[in-house]
Amino acid sequence: MLEIKNLHVKLEEEDKQILKGVDLTVEAGKVHAIMGPNGSGKSTLSYVLSGRDGYEVTDGSATLLGEDLLDMEVEDRAAAGLFLAFQYPVEIPGVGNMTFLRTAVNAQRKARGEEEMSSAEFLKVIRARAKDLKIDAEMLKRPVNVGFSGGEKKRNEILQMAMLEPKMCILDETDSGLDVDAMKLVADGVNALRDEGRGFLVITHYQRLLDHIKPDVVHIMANGRIIKTGGPELALEVEQNGYADILEEVA
Amino acid sequence: MALPQAKQDATEARITALSLPEGGWADPARRDALARVRAMGLPNARDEYWKFTRPDTLVAAEAPAAATMDSGEAPLFDSRDRLKLVFVDGVFSPEESDDLSLEGVTIDRLAEAKDIHWAKDLYGVLEARAQSPVARPLAALNTAFASDGLLIHVTGKPSKPISLIYRHVSDRSDAILHHVVKVDPGAEATILENGPAAARFNKCMEVDVAEGACLHHIRAQGRDHERRAATHIFARLEKESVFKSFTLTVNGAMTRNEVVVEFTGDDAVAHVAGACMGDGDFHHDDTVFVTHDAVNCESRQVFKKVLRNGATGVFQGKILVKPDAQKTDGYQISQSLLLDGDSQFLAKPELEIYADDVACSHGSTSGAIDEDGLFYLRARGVPRGTAEDLLTIAFIAEAVQEVEDESLQEDLVERVAGWLARRRD
């Protein structure tokens, strides 16, 4: 599904190398988690994959279903099936949540040469998906993320994911700013989307999100590289001992 | 004080090119207005009030030519039930208009109104009141020389909007129109205006809103590129009255829209808003002056400008609160979205307050499109162009929302969305 090879990335504006050779393969149907201390490059990886400005790839590659991601426009990556759940979802005053989502769904369909969704069909689907995430009609009408609480913003990300039905989902610290109940709601939303044909990359600081979204593979990232890969037990090890032991071990 | 010779000459040259309509009830008002024009002189680039906008093409004896434009789209408000009143190059066209009869309103043509007429108490009167503290000579010129216009007396609550539709047919048309609107106590109406009016257009609208009355005014200017227009609205608000005016402007080489509001009765509300979108050789100026001379009145000014390719936007807005106008609530915001580095927005917000128990605020900003918002939309698969359009519509939304009727808001937004989308094709 997602194949990253020897990815080197630096900041565009300054001479600072952030990723120093990341290798990672996420298979369809699998959930991979990336954990790591602050500044290890986790979020940069998610931004580079989704195409945010400000980064320069100096070496390596990233493909989605064999297509070169790094060569595509941001919107084309989305249409190809990549989805990033933002750590800090952006507020867009003046654009209704519903308008935004319908525009996005139909833009992706159009880009893929599929038929656009009719208003009636869209309404039916979004109402059902919103209900599962406890998102009420009022929230759908409001401008995108404006005045939403932290939990509402993250639920809104998952709603977008559910509507866009991407092939590869990257969740960037989706647990940050969530209380236990909100985290469970978000995790349930993600679990409902787990599917044979869909891959997940869950980026997190803490193990607790992984109690709810059970990963198949856990990677530890530090200083721009993946330094250790293992099963779910690796997350528990981090929870108990912190990153220090692992960092020492590989040093 | 004598006017500088150059100004005097330019003023006389313009006056000479026009002929004073004669033989009606408006004669005294026209003669007074002509005297005002001569005393003030027409504006030139040295006038402080015209610091950001060059008045020369608006003042010139002969109007610069402006090509007509077939936009290829259905005129705005076309699908709506309304009383249609059509002007072609500034001349009322009875053939293209509906019958001038609608319950709750009487309408006469300025050119045909009988000698004993209610409009006698308003024609040129509100314009004259507004000549101080700032001179507005183009409005006085209008009062003197207006050749046509409508006198609209709202006595009840007409069932549909009164819709003024302008059509520009001749490349060299130079139209001067003057409308007077009187809204009786407790009455309520909506006036719509749209369409390119003439190569050069000088328009005045005097509005008197009586106690407890309400007038909604929604106007669309454009999409003719070469238009030059100077428009004035003079609104007087009596006790507990409401006046809401919104203008959408697209294209136009030179547009100066002045709105002058005066509160004379307590507890009244006036909202003046506008959104404009300009590209390249586009100059748009919103000049607003609100005078609070009564207690507990609310005024709002909300102006948004989307500019690119060297377009220029101007905002001069003032709130004057007189000593007895306690409990005034005044608000003013003017913002521009600069889509590239070539465009400019010039703003002069002013507050002048002589009462001590008031709440007045103002703000003015210029900015580029929000990169974070753009990335977020694109990351969801919305192509860059569409994403920029969405953010542009979002930017003007605060101004459009000043229109009370939501279906009219939708008409306006849909029209803007269509323009933006076609610009990309």
Side-chain angles (χ1 to χ4, degrees), chain A residues 50-52 73-75 78 83-84 86 89-90 92-95 100 104 107-108 145 157 160 164, chain B residues 370-373 375-386 390-391 393-395 397 401:
Chain A
S50 56
R52 192 180 194 118
E73 293 291 334
V74 177
E75 51 268 39
F83 182 92
L84 170 66
F86 282 56
V90 179
I92 309 181
V95 177
F100 160 58
Q108 289 203 11
N145 293 325
E157 293 293 290
Q160 292 168 33
L164 293 167
Chain B
D370 173 23
E371 286 296 329
D372 288 338
F375 175 66
Y376 191 65
L377 290 168
R378 293 178 71 202
R380 295 298 174 252
V382 181
R384 178 187 275 275
T386 311
L390 269 176
L391 294 172
I393 291 169
F395 171 75
Q401 279 157 11

mmCIF file of all heavy atoms in Angstrom, chain A residues 50-52 73-75 78 83-84 86 89-90 92-95 100 104 107-108 145 157 160 164, chain B residues 370-373 375-386 390-391 393-395 397 401:
data_model
loop_
_atom_site.group_PDB
_atom_site.id
_atom_site.type_symbol
_atom_site.label_atom_id
_atom_site.label_comp_id
_atom_site.label_asym_id
_atom_site.label_seq_id
_atom_site.Cartn_x
_atom_site.Cartn_y
_atom_site.Cartn_z
ATOM 1 N N SER A 50 1.755 14.067 2.755
ATOM 2 C CA SER A 50 0.530 14.705 2.261
ATOM 3 C C SER A 50 0.825 15.924 1.382
ATOM 4 O O SER A 50 -0.068 16.442 0.734
ATOM 5 C CB SER A 50 -0.382 15.076 3.423
ATOM 6 O OG SER A 50 0.306 15.895 4.339
ATOM 7 N N GLY A 51 2.096 16.381 1.369
ATOM 8 C CA GLY A 51 2.464 17.408 0.390
ATOM 9 C C GLY A 51 2.490 18.835 0.888
ATOM 10 O O GLY A 51 2.368 19.781 0.113
ATOM 11 N N ARG A 52 2.652 19.020 2.188
ATOM 12 C CA ARG A 52 2.695 20.373 2.716
ATOM 13 C C ARG A 52 3.962 21.103 2.261
ATOM 14 O O ARG A 52 5.020 20.505 2.145
ATOM 15 C CB ARG A 52 2.674 20.309 4.243
ATOM 16 C CG ARG A 52 2.424 21.649 4.869
ATOM 17 C CD ARG A 52 2.399 21.553 6.390
ATOM 18 N NE ARG A 52 1.839 22.792 6.886
ATOM 19 C CZ ARG A 52 0.730 22.883 7.579
ATOM 20 N NH1 ARG A 52 0.061 21.814 7.902
ATOM 21 N NH2 ARG A 52 0.277 24.056 7.972
ATOM 22 N N GLU A 73 0.523 16.681 -6.855
ATOM 23 C CA GLU A 73 -0.055 17.809 -6.134
ATOM 24 C C GLU A 73 -0.784 17.280 -4.897
ATOM 25 O O GLU A 73 -1.205 16.112 -4.872
ATOM 26 C CB GLU A 73 -1.075 18.543 -7.028
ATOM 27 C CG GLU A 73 -0.469 19.254 -8.223
ATOM 28 C CD GLU A 73 0.381 20.450 -7.830
ATOM 29 O OE1 GLU A 73 0.136 21.027 -6.743
ATOM 30 O OE2 GLU A 73 1.299 20.813 -8.590
ATOM 31 N N VAL A 74 -0.962 18.163 -3.930
ATOM 32 C CA VAL A 74 -1.625 17.784 -2.678
ATOM 33 C C VAL A 74 -2.980 17.122 -2.949
ATOM 34 O O VAL A 74 -3.294 16.050 -2.425
ATOM 35 C CB VAL A 74 -1.828 19.036 -1.792
ATOM 36 C CG1 VAL A 74 -2.586 18.677 -0.524
ATOM 37 C CG2 VAL A 74 -0.498 19.676 -1.461
ATOM 38 N N GLU A 75 -3.776 17.770 -3.808
ATOM 39 C CA GLU A 75 -5.137 17.270 -4.033
ATOM 40 C C GLU A 75 -5.134 15.935 -4.791
ATOM 41 O O GLU A 75 -6.033 15.110 -4.615
ATOM 42 C CB GLU A 75 -5.995 18.307 -4.772
ATOM 43 C CG GLU A 75 -5.398 18.887 -6.047
ATOM 44 C CD GLU A 75 -4.607 20.170 -5.797
ATOM 45 O OE1 GLU A 75 -3.891 20.260 -4.775
ATOM 46 O OE2 GLU A 75 -4.711 21.096 -6.616
ATOM 47 N N ALA A 78 -4.646 13.139 -2.395
ATOM 48 C CA ALA A 78 -5.911 12.821 -1.715
ATOM 49 C C ALA A 78 -6.795 11.965 -2.625
ATOM 50 O O ALA A 78 -7.368 10.967 -2.188
ATOM 51 C CB ALA A 78 -6.624 14.111 -1.317
ATOM 52 N N PHE A 83 -5.050 9.980 3.051
ATOM 53 C CA PHE A 83 -5.784 10.870 3.952
ATOM 54 C C PHE A 83 -4.940 11.136 5.179
ATOM 55 O O PHE A 83 -4.420 10.232 5.808
ATOM 56 C CB PHE A 83 -7.109 10.228 4.391
ATOM 57 C CG PHE A 83 -7.933 11.107 5.289
ATOM 58 C CD1 PHE A 83 -8.895 11.952 4.760
ATOM 59 C CD2 PHE A 83 -7.732 11.095 6.674
ATOM 60 C CE1 PHE A 83 -9.655 12.774 5.593
ATOM 61 C CE2 PHE A 83 -8.485 11.924 7.501
ATOM 62 C CZ PHE A 83 -9.443 12.758 6.960
ATOM 63 N N LEU A 84 -4.816 12.417 5.532
ATOM 64 C CA LEU A 84 -4.117 12.798 6.759
ATOM 65 C C LEU A 84 -5.122 13.387 7.742
ATOM 66 O O LEU A 84 -5.765 14.394 7.446
ATOM 67 C CB LEU A 84 -3.025 13.842 6.451
ATOM 68 C CG LEU A 84 -2.378 14.517 7.668
ATOM 69 C CD1 LEU A 84 -1.583 13.519 8.506
ATOM 70 C CD2 LEU A 84 -1.483 15.682 7.244
ATOM 71 N N PHE A 86 -5.424 15.569 10.691
ATOM 72 C CA PHE A 86 -4.507 16.587 11.201
ATOM 73 C C PHE A 86 -4.406 16.567 12.727
ATOM 74 O O PHE A 86 -5.396 16.373 13.419
ATOM 75 C CB PHE A 86 -4.985 17.987 10.777
ATOM 76 C CG PHE A 86 -4.678 18.349 9.353
ATOM 77 C CD1 PHE A 86 -5.113 17.540 8.303
ATOM 78 C CD2 PHE A 86 -3.966 19.509 9.040
ATOM 79 C CE1 PHE A 86 -4.838 17.886 6.987
ATOM 80 C CE2 PHE A 86 -3.693 19.858 7.732
ATOM 81 C CZ PHE A 86 -4.127 19.052 6.703
ATOM 82 N N PRO A 89 -6.527 20.400 13.344
ATOM 83 C CA PRO A 89 -7.421 20.681 12.215
ATOM 84 C C PRO A 89 -7.633 22.191 12.064
ATOM 85 O O PRO A 89 -7.706 22.914 13.051
ATOM 86 C CB PRO A 89 -8.723 19.987 12.625
ATOM 87 C CG PRO A 89 -8.293 18.910 13.577
ATOM 88 C CD PRO A 89 -7.131 19.494 14.324
ATOM 89 N N VAL A 90 -7.679 22.658 10.822
ATOM 90 C CA VAL A 90 -7.688 24.094 10.539
ATOM 91 C C VAL A 90 -9.120 24.635 10.562
ATOM 92 O O VAL A 90 -10.040 24.009 10.053
ATOM 93 C CB VAL A 90 -7.048 24.337 9.151
ATOM 94 C CG1 VAL A 90 -7.049 25.825 8.808
ATOM 95 C CG2 VAL A 90 -5.625 23.790 9.108
ATOM 96 N N ILE A 92 -11.892 27.096 9.223
ATOM 97 C CA ILE A 92 -12.136 27.849 7.992
ATOM 98 C C ILE A 92 -13.446 28.619 8.109
ATOM 99 O O ILE A 92 -14.510 28.116 7.760
ATOM 100 C CB ILE A 92 -12.163 26.928 6.760
ATOM 101 C CG1 ILE A 92 -10.900 26.046 6.741
ATOM 102 C CG2 ILE A 92 -12.237 27.752 5.484
ATOM 103 C CD1 ILE A 92 -10.807 25.124 5.562
ATOM 104 N N PRO A 93 -13.375 29.848 8.609
ATOM 105 C CA PRO A 93 -14.594 30.641 8.798
ATOM 106 C C PRO A 93 -15.276 30.872 7.450
ATOM 107 O O PRO A 93 -14.603 31.072 6.440
ATOM 108 C CB PRO A 93 -14.091 31.962 9.369
ATOM 109 C CG PRO A 93 -12.680 31.716 9.790
ATOM 110 C CD PRO A 93 -12.163 30.594 8.960
ATOM 111 N N GLY A 94 -16.576 30.812 7.441
ATOM 112 C CA GLY A 94 -17.315 31.161 6.225
ATOM 113 C C GLY A 94 -17.598 29.987 5.306
ATOM 114 O O GLY A 94 -18.425 30.099 4.413
ATOM 115 N N VAL A 95 -16.898 28.863 5.493
ATOM 116 C CA VAL A 95 -17.187 27.695 4.656
ATOM 117 C C VAL A 95 -17.921 26.663 5.518
ATOM 118 O O VAL A 95 -17.388 26.199 6.520
ATOM 119 C CB VAL A 95 -15.890 27.061 4.102
ATOM 120 C CG1 VAL A 95 -16.212 25.807 3.301
ATOM 121 C CG2 VAL A 95 -15.132 28.060 3.248
ATOM 122 N N PHE A 100 -18.129 22.011 2.462
ATOM 123 C CA PHE A 100 -16.730 21.596 2.372
ATOM 124 C C PHE A 100 -16.634 20.105 2.050
ATOM 125 O O PHE A 100 -15.938 19.695 1.112
ATOM 126 C CB PHE A 100 -16.057 21.925 3.711
ATOM 127 C CG PHE A 100 -14.795 21.171 4.005
ATOM 128 C CD1 PHE A 100 -13.698 21.237 3.153
ATOM 129 C CD2 PHE A 100 -14.693 20.410 5.158
ATOM 130 C CE1 PHE A 100 -12.537 20.552 3.437
ATOM 131 C CE2 PHE A 100 -13.537 19.719 5.458
ATOM 132 C CZ PHE A 100 -12.455 19.787 4.593
ATOM 133 N N ALA A 104 -15.359 18.267 -1.359
ATOM 134 C CA ALA A 104 -14.199 17.371 -1.312
ATOM 135 C C ALA A 104 -14.538 15.994 -1.901
ATOM 136 O O ALA A 104 -13.803 15.469 -2.734
ATOM 137 C CB ALA A 104 -13.710 17.236 0.131
ATOM 138 N N ALA A 107 -15.015 16.350 -5.630
ATOM 139 C CA ALA A 107 -13.759 16.671 -6.329
ATOM 140 C C ALA A 107 -12.922 15.407 -6.484
ATOM 141 O O ALA A 107 -12.337 15.155 -7.543
ATOM 142 C CB ALA A 107 -12.986 17.738 -5.564
ATOM 143 N N GLN A 108 -12.871 14.606 -5.432
ATOM 144 C CA GLN A 108 -12.094 13.362 -5.517
ATOM 145 C C GLN A 108 -12.710 12.403 -6.524
ATOM 146 O O GLN A 108 -12.007 11.756 -7.302
ATOM 147 C CB GLN A 108 -12.031 12.691 -4.142
ATOM 148 C CG GLN A 108 -11.152 13.432 -3.158
ATOM 149 C CD GLN A 108 -10.652 12.536 -2.038
ATOM 150 O OE1 GLN A 108 -10.789 11.324 -2.088
ATOM 151 N NE2 GLN A 108 -10.062 13.149 -1.028
ATOM 152 N N ASN A 145 -14.784 23.564 11.499
ATOM 153 C CA ASN A 145 -13.989 23.568 12.741
ATOM 154 C C ASN A 145 -14.072 24.851 13.570
ATOM 155 O O ASN A 145 -13.420 24.946 14.611
ATOM 156 C CB ASN A 145 -12.509 23.267 12.450
ATOM 157 C CG ASN A 145 -12.297 21.856 11.947
ATOM 158 O OD1 ASN A 145 -12.991 20.938 12.369
ATOM 159 N ND2 ASN A 145 -11.370 21.680 11.026
ATOM 160 N N GLU A 157 -12.530 15.184 11.909
ATOM 161 C CA GLU A 157 -11.508 14.574 11.044
ATOM 162 C C GLU A 157 -11.919 13.152 10.660
ATOM 163 O O GLU A 157 -11.784 12.748 9.504
ATOM 164 C CB GLU A 157 -10.146 14.531 11.759
ATOM 165 C CG GLU A 157 -9.504 15.883 12.020
ATOM 166 C CD GLU A 157 -9.092 16.586 10.745
ATOM 167 O OE1 GLU A 157 -8.136 16.140 10.089
ATOM 168 O OE2 GLU A 157 -9.753 17.579 10.408
ATOM 169 N N GLN A 160 -14.651 13.084 8.152
ATOM 170 C CA GLN A 160 -14.127 13.322 6.800
ATOM 171 C C GLN A 160 -13.519 12.044 6.237
ATOM 172 O O GLN A 160 -13.694 11.700 5.075
ATOM 173 C CB GLN A 160 -13.079 14.444 6.830
ATOM 174 C CG GLN A 160 -13.675 15.800 7.149
ATOM 175 C CD GLN A 160 -12.611 16.837 7.465
ATOM 176 O OE1 GLN A 160 -11.525 16.806 6.919
ATOM 177 N NE2 GLN A 160 -12.921 17.757 8.356
ATOM 178 N N LEU A 164 -14.721 10.213 2.862
ATOM 179 C CA LEU A 164 -13.813 10.183 1.707
ATOM 180 C C LEU A 164 -13.334 8.766 1.393
ATOM 181 O O LEU A 164 -12.818 8.505 0.310
ATOM 182 C CB LEU A 164 -12.615 11.114 1.957
ATOM 183 C CG LEU A 164 -13.000 12.602 2.021
ATOM 184 C CD1 LEU A 164 -11.858 13.436 2.589
ATOM 185 C CD2 LEU A 164 -13.380 13.131 0.648
ATOM 186 N N ASP B 370 -5.326 32.387 3.173
ATOM 187 C CA ASP B 370 -4.825 31.627 4.309
ATOM 188 C C ASP B 370 -4.210 30.306 3.831
ATOM 189 O O ASP B 370 -4.903 29.405 3.393
ATOM 190 C CB ASP B 370 -5.992 31.380 5.275
ATOM 191 C CG ASP B 370 -5.610 30.451 6.408
ATOM 192 O OD1 ASP B 370 -4.402 30.346 6.712
ATOM 193 O OD2 ASP B 370 -6.518 29.822 6.983
ATOM 194 N N GLU B 371 -2.876 30.216 3.943
ATOM 195 C CA GLU B 371 -2.164 29.040 3.424
ATOM 196 C C GLU B 371 -2.546 27.753 4.163
ATOM 197 O O GLU B 371 -2.627 26.684 3.559
ATOM 198 C CB GLU B 371 -0.646 29.240 3.503
ATOM 199 C CG GLU B 371 -0.088 30.212 2.462
ATOM 200 C CD GLU B 371 -0.270 29.715 1.024
ATOM 201 O OE1 GLU B 371 -0.257 28.492 0.802
ATOM 202 O OE2 GLU B 371 -0.438 30.565 0.124
ATOM 203 N N ASP B 372 -2.787 27.861 5.460
ATOM 204 C CA ASP B 372 -3.171 26.675 6.220
ATOM 205 C C ASP B 372 -4.527 26.159 5.762
ATOM 206 O O ASP B 372 -4.721 24.948 5.602
ATOM 207 C CB ASP B 372 -3.225 26.982 7.723
ATOM 208 C CG ASP B 372 -1.841 27.170 8.315
ATOM 209 O OD1 ASP B 372 -0.872 26.660 7.711
ATOM 210 O OD2 ASP B 372 -1.729 27.816 9.371
ATOM 211 N N GLY B 373 -5.451 27.098 5.556
ATOM 212 C CA GLY B 373 -6.775 26.713 5.076
ATOM 213 C C GLY B 373 -6.688 26.085 3.694
ATOM 214 O O GLY B 373 -7.349 25.086 3.394
ATOM 215 N N PHE B 375 -4.114 24.512 2.347
ATOM 216 C CA PHE B 375 -3.533 23.176 2.428
ATOM 217 C C PHE B 375 -4.562 22.169 2.948
ATOM 218 O O PHE B 375 -4.690 21.058 2.436
ATOM 219 C CB PHE B 375 -2.294 23.176 3.340
ATOM 220 C CG PHE B 375 -1.721 21.798 3.552
ATOM 221 C CD1 PHE B 375 -1.152 21.095 2.503
ATOM 222 C CD2 PHE B 375 -1.761 21.205 4.810
ATOM 223 C CE1 PHE B 375 -0.639 19.820 2.689
ATOM 224 C CE2 PHE B 375 -1.251 19.929 5.004
ATOM 225 C CZ PHE B 375 -0.689 19.233 3.939
ATOM 226 N N TYR B 376 -5.316 22.585 3.949
ATOM 227 C CA TYR B 376 -6.323 21.695 4.543
ATOM 228 C C TYR B 376 -7.352 21.270 3.482
ATOM 229 O O TYR B 376 -7.671 20.093 3.352
ATOM 230 C CB TYR B 376 -7.006 22.436 5.685
ATOM 231 C CG TYR B 376 -7.885 21.585 6.570
ATOM 232 C CD1 TYR B 376 -7.345 20.572 7.359
ATOM 233 C CD2 TYR B 376 -9.256 21.817 6.649
ATOM 234 C CE1 TYR B 376 -8.148 19.814 8.190
ATOM 235 C CE2 TYR B 376 -10.063 21.057 7.487
ATOM 236 C CZ TYR B 376 -9.502 20.055 8.256
ATOM 237 O OH TYR B 376 -10.299 19.308 9.080
ATOM 238 N N LEU B 377 -7.849 22.244 2.724
ATOM 239 C CA LEU B 377 -8.842 21.933 1.686
ATOM 240 C C LEU B 377 -8.235 21.024 0.617
ATOM 241 O O LEU B 377 -8.859 20.055 0.171
ATOM 242 C CB LEU B 377 -9.359 23.211 1.045
ATOM 243 C CG LEU B 377 -10.259 24.093 1.928
ATOM 244 C CD1 LEU B 377 -10.459 25.467 1.298
ATOM 245 C CD2 LEU B 377 -11.615 23.429 2.149
ATOM 246 N N ARG B 378 -7.017 21.332 0.205
ATOM 247 C CA ARG B 378 -6.372 20.524 -0.835
ATOM 248 C C ARG B 378 -6.088 19.114 -0.330
ATOM 249 O O ARG B 378 -6.207 18.147 -1.084
ATOM 250 C CB ARG B 378 -5.087 21.194 -1.300
ATOM 251 C CG ARG B 378 -5.319 22.504 -2.043
ATOM 252 C CD ARG B 378 -4.016 23.151 -2.429
ATOM 253 N NE ARG B 378 -3.343 22.426 -3.493
ATOM 254 C CZ ARG B 378 -2.036 22.510 -3.745
ATOM 255 N NH1 ARG B 378 -1.268 23.276 -3.003
ATOM 256 N NH2 ARG B 378 -1.509 21.818 -4.719
ATOM 257 N N ALA B 379 -5.723 19.011 0.946
ATOM 258 C CA ALA B 379 -5.433 17.685 1.509
ATOM 259 C C ALA B 379 -6.690 16.821 1.542
ATOM 260 O O ALA B 379 -6.604 15.606 1.710
ATOM 261 C CB ALA B 379 -4.856 17.829 2.915
ATOM 262 N N ARG B 380 -7.853 17.462 1.391
ATOM 263 C CA ARG B 380 -9.092 16.689 1.319
ATOM 264 C C ARG B 380 -9.503 16.448 -0.140
ATOM 265 O O ARG B 380 -10.599 15.971 -0.413
ATOM 266 C CB ARG B 380 -10.213 17.420 2.072
ATOM 267 C CG ARG B 380 -9.972 17.540 3.562
ATOM 268 C CD ARG B 380 -9.889 16.171 4.239
ATOM 269 N NE ARG B 380 -9.525 16.280 5.653
ATOM 270 C CZ ARG B 380 -8.331 15.936 6.134
ATOM 271 N NH1 ARG B 380 -7.392 15.466 5.341
ATOM 272 N NH2 ARG B 380 -8.085 16.036 7.424
ATOM 273 N N GLY B 381 -8.646 16.876 -1.051
ATOM 274 C CA GLY B 381 -8.905 16.579 -2.458
ATOM 275 C C GLY B 381 -9.516 17.719 -3.244
ATOM 276 O O GLY B 381 -9.828 17.574 -4.419
ATOM 277 N N VAL B 382 -9.705 18.877 -2.592
ATOM 278 C CA VAL B 382 -10.275 20.017 -3.312
ATOM 279 C C VAL B 382 -9.155 20.668 -4.129
ATOM 280 O O VAL B 382 -8.140 21.076 -3.555
ATOM 281 C CB VAL B 382 -10.872 21.045 -2.327
ATOM 282 C CG1 VAL B 382 -11.474 22.221 -3.076
ATOM 283 C CG2 VAL B 382 -11.915 20.386 -1.427
ATOM 284 N N PRO B 383 -9.299 20.758 -5.455
ATOM 285 C CA PRO B 383 -8.227 21.336 -6.271
ATOM 286 C C PRO B 383 -7.919 22.776 -5.838
ATOM 287 O O PRO B 383 -8.809 23.485 -5.360
ATOM 288 C CB PRO B 383 -8.795 21.315 -7.684
ATOM 289 C CG PRO B 383 -9.899 20.328 -7.665
ATOM 290 C CD PRO B 383 -10.437 20.321 -6.268
ATOM 291 N N ARG B 384 -6.686 23.185 -6.043
ATOM 292 C CA ARG B 384 -6.227 24.492 -5.590
ATOM 293 C C ARG B 384 -7.180 25.628 -5.984
ATOM 294 O O ARG B 384 -7.560 26.447 -5.154
ATOM 295 C CB ARG B 384 -4.835 24.793 -6.141
ATOM 296 C CG ARG B 384 -4.309 26.153 -5.768
ATOM 297 C CD ARG B 384 -3.004 26.473 -6.472
ATOM 298 N NE ARG B 384 -1.855 25.946 -5.761
ATOM 299 C CZ ARG B 384 -1.255 26.581 -4.750
ATOM 300 N NH1 ARG B 384 -1.704 27.747 -4.331
ATOM 301 N NH2 ARG B 384 -0.221 26.054 -4.149
ATOM 302 N N GLY B 385 -7.582 25.644 -7.253
ATOM 303 C CA GLY B 385 -8.444 26.732 -7.736
ATOM 304 C C GLY B 385 -9.770 26.776 -6.992
ATOM 305 O O GLY B 385 -10.203 27.831 -6.520
ATOM 306 N N THR B 386 -10.397 25.624 -6.856
ATOM 307 C CA THR B 386 -11.674 25.553 -6.147
ATOM 308 C C THR B 386 -11.491 25.942 -4.684
ATOM 309 O O THR B 386 -12.338 26.625 -4.095
ATOM 310 C CB THR B 386 -12.254 24.121 -6.226
ATOM 311 O OG1 THR B 386 -12.207 23.691 -7.591
ATOM 312 C CG2 THR B 386 -13.683 24.073 -5.738
ATOM 313 N N LEU B 390 -13.377 28.869 -2.672
ATOM 314 C CA LEU B 390 -14.111 28.656 -1.417
ATOM 315 C C LEU B 390 -13.650 29.648 -0.351
ATOM 316 O O LEU B 390 -14.463 30.229 0.358
ATOM 317 C CB LEU B 390 -13.874 27.236 -0.888
ATOM 318 C CG LEU B 390 -14.837 26.129 -1.315
ATOM 319 C CD1 LEU B 390 -14.360 24.798 -0.746
ATOM 320 C CD2 LEU B 390 -16.255 26.414 -0.835
ATOM 321 N N LEU B 391 -12.331 29.836 -0.271
ATOM 322 C CA LEU B 391 -11.797 30.748 0.743
ATOM 323 C C LEU B 391 -12.137 32.203 0.405
ATOM 324 O O LEU B 391 -12.313 33.029 1.300
ATOM 325 C CB LEU B 391 -10.279 30.560 0.885
ATOM 326 C CG LEU B 391 -9.864 29.195 1.451
ATOM 327 C CD1 LEU B 391 -8.350 29.013 1.381
ATOM 328 C CD2 LEU B 391 -10.338 29.048 2.897
ATOM 329 N N ILE B 393 -14.933 33.179 -1.188
ATOM 330 C CA ILE B 393 -16.341 33.336 -0.818
ATOM 331 C C ILE B 393 -16.474 33.442 0.703
ATOM 332 O O ILE B 393 -17.241 34.247 1.225
ATOM 333 C CB ILE B 393 -17.181 32.170 -1.382
ATOM 334 C CG1 ILE B 393 -17.244 32.304 -2.908
ATOM 335 C CG2 ILE B 393 -18.576 32.157 -0.788
ATOM 336 C CD1 ILE B 393 -17.801 31.097 -3.612
ATOM 337 N N ALA B 394 -15.663 32.642 1.392
ATOM 338 C CA ALA B 394 -15.679 32.703 2.852
ATOM 339 C C ALA B 394 -15.264 34.095 3.334
ATOM 340 O O ALA B 394 -15.817 34.628 4.289
ATOM 341 C CB ALA B 394 -14.737 31.649 3.431
ATOM 342 N N PHE B 395 -14.314 34.679 2.628
ATOM 343 C CA PHE B 395 -13.818 36.000 3.018
ATOM 344 C C PHE B 395 -14.905 37.068 2.911
ATOM 345 O O PHE B 395 -15.041 37.926 3.780
ATOM 346 C CB PHE B 395 -12.617 36.375 2.138
ATOM 347 C CG PHE B 395 -12.170 37.797 2.301
ATOM 348 C CD1 PHE B 395 -11.456 38.183 3.430
ATOM 349 C CD2 PHE B 395 -12.480 38.752 1.341
ATOM 350 C CE1 PHE B 395 -11.055 39.497 3.587
ATOM 351 C CE2 PHE B 395 -12.084 40.064 1.499
ATOM 352 C CZ PHE B 395 -11.372 40.438 2.627
ATOM 353 N N ALA B 397 -18.046 36.522 3.037
ATOM 354 C CA ALA B 397 -19.298 36.073 3.673
ATOM 355 C C ALA B 397 -19.807 37.045 4.740
ATOM 356 O O ALA B 397 -21.005 37.316 4.818
ATOM 357 C CB ALA B 397 -19.106 34.681 4.273
ATOM 358 N N GLN B 401 -23.545 38.464 4.633
ATOM 359 C CA GLN B 401 -24.501 38.113 5.689
ATOM 360 C C GLN B 401 -25.224 39.328 6.263
ATOM 361 O O GLN B 401 -26.170 39.184 7.045
ATOM 362 C CB GLN B 401 -23.787 37.330 6.803
ATOM 363 C CG GLN B 401 -23.626 35.866 6.424
ATOM 364 C CD GLN B 401 -22.509 35.169 7.153
ATOM 365 O OE1 GLN B 401 -21.947 35.696 8.106
ATOM 366 N NE2 GLN B 401 -22.165 33.969 6.709
#
